Amino acid sequence: MDGEVRINPYLAGNFAPIRSEDDFDLKVTKGQIPKDLRGTLYRTGPNPQFEPRDPNYHWFTGDGMIHGFRVEGGKISYRNRYVRTPKWELEHEHGRSLFAGFNPMASDPIAFGKDGGVANTNIVWHAGKLLALEEGHMPFEIEPGTLKSLGYVEPYAGRVTAHPKMDPKTGEMVWFAYGVGDAPLSDMISYGVTDASGKVVRRSDFQAPYGAMMHDFMVTENYVLFPVMPLTGSLERAMKGLPAYAWEPEKPAYVGVMRRDADVSTIRWFHTGACYVFHPMNAYEQDGKLIADVFRYDSAPLFPLADGRRGDKSAARLARWTLDLSGDSDAIQEEMLDDLDGEFPRFDERLAGSGYRHGWFAGDTTRSGSVKLNSIAHIDLTTGKRSVYEFTGGDLVSEPVFTPTSDSAPEGQGWLTAVAWRAAENRSDFLVFDAQDVAAGPIAVAEVPRRVPFGFHGNWVAG
């Protein structure tokens, strides 16, 4: 329609940024915060400091903002702060947006050659440091409690992705990076290990079957799995004004498998039909096979086709991949475990890389094929039983984060913490669930006096 003004969906509703940095004591409006629940839920997400330059601004490219929910003695407080990356500092100095996210050709000349990291995707605790992470830069250290920006952690010597895995037995942080090297959007991948003291003890590079957005990966006790799926990256395409990242369903999906103590030259590539995975739940070894539970899409959501046309809507469902290390076939066997659309899977991470029983995720009972999630689900992988708590009135929820009641508690005995957006009031609540009785609804609700924008990941730091 002539004269129609297109509103970018990532700048509207609860995707829209909030630009104030606040400190609130929250009012508990339902139930009681468990006395034994002590620590902080740290969450992060994109929150552009200024109006984006690119009219096709993508949610993945906004400035990182940390949200901290501190819980102690049945009381809860909230604090949020921008991650003051070099990008944030440069734009703050000039009072406007300078970088253009996935469309670098639209960046201001002032930004050319400058660091464009946003630290907006995940926030993890390792070796006594709180680290804000994203796809293309080094970890950025945040001071616990104050949320003060402390700067990049230099020993990583290059980009690190946002989804490291913590080994509960060794204390190691195992990580990877994609698109590494001098050429943007390259097909090179790094595999890295940081020991329990915070020292980077390994970084090895290898070539993938093609360049792709490799959002997450899987780690078992002895193996690492690298998924390379046809959400491809192409500098040549970007230089022609076409999407830098695009869905190319004619390409197969691959999973590279390597022993954690082996050389990257030993990687064996398994394959399956075109599909996409943003997030696995967990992976483990069983009888000479690797088992990986993943949220699988038929096609990558949120991204266009290679010619710039809009891609199909697609929702993820929990699937199990089996990779037979002793067999002659490199084909991945696939079994669907559940039929509820969902994302942001979590589990009891004391069992990371090992066999496990309990998982949780944010679900979409409306089957809208979007990232707007209106429920929290628990699945018992032994019985196959799923229980769900569904929000009403258009309310939507973040990734649920599991916290055990104690270090020695049985698997799955603990709490889920999450943040809900209350659509009618346009504000948010902090929620606590009994992890074993999700369907009963939250056992405690604390009111945030304004909204917390939709974000990506969070983690609980105890004490």
Side-chain angles (χ1 to χ4, degrees):
M1 183 183 298
D2 290 342
E4 182 178 2
V5 177
R6 178 181 176 273
I7 298 174
N8 188 312
Y10 301 128
L11 297 172
N14 198 41
F15 287 98
I18 53 145
R19 295 191 168 108
S20 63
E21 296 178 310
D22 300 304
D23 295 85
F24 300 125
D25 290 326
L26 304 189
K27 178 183 178 182
V28 177
T29 58
K30 175 185 175 181
Q32 290 185 326
I33 303 291
K35 297 292 186 185
D36 293 335
L37 183 61
R38 294 189 298 273
T40 302
L41 174 67
Y42 292 103
R43 291 195 51 79
T44 188
N47 200 88
Q49 179 183 189
F50 298 108
E51 189 69 18
R53 292 179 65 85
D54 186 357
N56 296 313
Y57 161 78
H58 195 286
W59 191 34
F60 287 8
T61 64
D63 295 299
M65 177 175 276
I66 310 298
H67 305 267
F69 295 86
R70 170 71 181 167
V71 180
E72 187 170 18
K75 296 182 179 180
I76 179 167
S77 60
Y78 166 88
R79 169 174 289 171
N80 70 299
R81 296 292 187 269
Y82 274 108
V83 184
R84 283 157 167 77
T85 60
K87 172 191 181 294
W88 187 95
E89 295 282 14
L90 186 65
E91 291 184 331
H92 189 73
E93 176 188 347
H94 288 270
R96 57 189 173 88
S97 178
L98 301 173
F99 295 79
F102 289 146
N103 184 15
M105 303 304 291
S107 294
D108 189 289
I110 295 171
F112 289 171
K114 301 293 198 309
D115 186 299
V118 289
N120 69 6
T121 310
N122 202 355
I123 184 161
V124 303
W125 178 261
H126 183 255
K129 291 184 176 181
L130 187 64
L131 305 174
L133 306 173
E134 51 111 333
E135 304 291 288
H137 293 80
M138 292 181 291
F140 196 98
E141 188 176 359
I142 303 295
E143 186 172 77
T146 68
L147 304 186
K148 179 182 177 182
S149 293
L150 299 178
Y152 284 125
V153 182
E154 298 292 341
Y156 286 84
R159 64 172 59 199
V160 176
T161 195
H163 291 89
K165 306 303 176 191
M166 309 301 174
D167 187 320
K169 295 179 180 177
T170 67
E172 291 174 319
M173 184 168 78
V174 183
W175 46 272
F176 74 100
Y178 65 87
V180 301
D182 295 332
L185 307 174
S186 79
D187 59 1
M188 296 299 294
I189 294 173
S190 289
Y191 167 63
V193 179
T194 304
D195 70 15
S197 72
K199 181 182 178 181
V200 177
V201 295
R202 177 171 180 177
R203 184 170 191 136
S204 307
D205 294 348
F206 62 94
Q207 189 171 22
Y210 50 79
M213 180 179 284
M214 186 180 150
H215 190 71
D216 204 343
F217 78 146
M218 292 85 87
V219 175
T220 70
E221 184 175 2
N222 296 295
Y223 290 88
V224 59
L225 295 82
F226 303 99
V228 177
M229 302 180 184
L231 178 53
T232 64
S234 169
L235 180 61
E236 180 183 1
R237 191 168 58 214
M239 295 292 285
K240 295 177 181 177
L242 292 168
Y245 284 105
W247 176 243
E248 292 195 81
E250 62 274 14
K251 296 182 186 293
Y254 293 92
V255 176
V257 174
M258 182 187 78
R259 278 193 63 92
R260 286 168 57 176
D261 58 1
D263 187 82
V264 291
S265 63
T266 66
I267 292 175
R268 176 181 175 184
W269 291 99
F270 289 78
H271 61 84
T272 186
C275 61
Y276 197 73
V277 170
F278 277 117
H279 303 114
M281 183 173 276
N282 192 20
Y284 57 95
E285 302 158 30
Q286 185 178 79
D287 302 327
K289 297 175 176 143
L290 299 180
I291 311 297
D293 295 340
V294 301
F295 268 79
R296 179 199 180 280
Y297 295 86
D298 288 336
S299 60
L302 311 177
F303 285 89
L305 301 174
D307 60 8
R309 288 179 296 146
R310 182 176 298 179
D312 294 333
K313 278 191 172 183
S314 180
R317 293 183 179 177
L318 185 60
R320 174 161 290 174
W321 286 347
T322 301
L323 293 75
D324 189 348
L325 299 177
S326 59
D328 295 329
S329 173
D330 292 335
I332 297 171
Q333 301 170 43
E334 183 174 271
E335 170 194 3
M336 299 308 295
L337 296 180
D338 194 60
D339 63 358
L340 176 62
D341 295 353
E343 251 299 357
F344 299 123
R346 300 300 295 253
F347 66 106
D348 186 335
E349 293 185 14
R350 294 174 298 169
L351 295 170
S354 302
Y356 71 117
R357 177 172 181 171
H358 297 285
W360 298 268
F361 59 95
D364 177 11
T365 61
T366 69
R367 305 197 185 279
S368 65
S370 75
V371 292
K372 296 181 178 180
L373 303 163
N374 74 339
S375 57
I376 290 180
H378 167 238
I379 184 163
D380 184 323
L381 293 162
T382 299
T383 66
K385 180 182 178 182
R386 183 190 71 216
S387 57
V388 179
Y389 176 78
E390 185 174 348
F391 294 82
T392 59
D395 293 355
L396 302 172
V397 70
S398 72
E399 167 195 60
V401 175
F402 174 79
T403 303
T405 52
S406 70
D407 290 342
S408 60
E411 181 197 351
Q413 181 179 302
W415 303 285
L416 298 181
T417 51
V419 181
W421 176 58
R422 305 303 192 184
E425 301 169 72
N426 195 29
R427 60 162 194 83
S428 296
D429 280 338
F430 174 84
L431 311 176
V432 182
F433 290 81
D434 178 340
Q436 289 294 309
D437 193 9
V438 167
I443 60 174
V445 177
E447 180 179 313
V448 183
R450 59 149 170 76
R451 62 187 180 85
V452 176
F454 295 134
F456 301 129
H457 296 290
N459 281 291
W460 182 265
V461 177

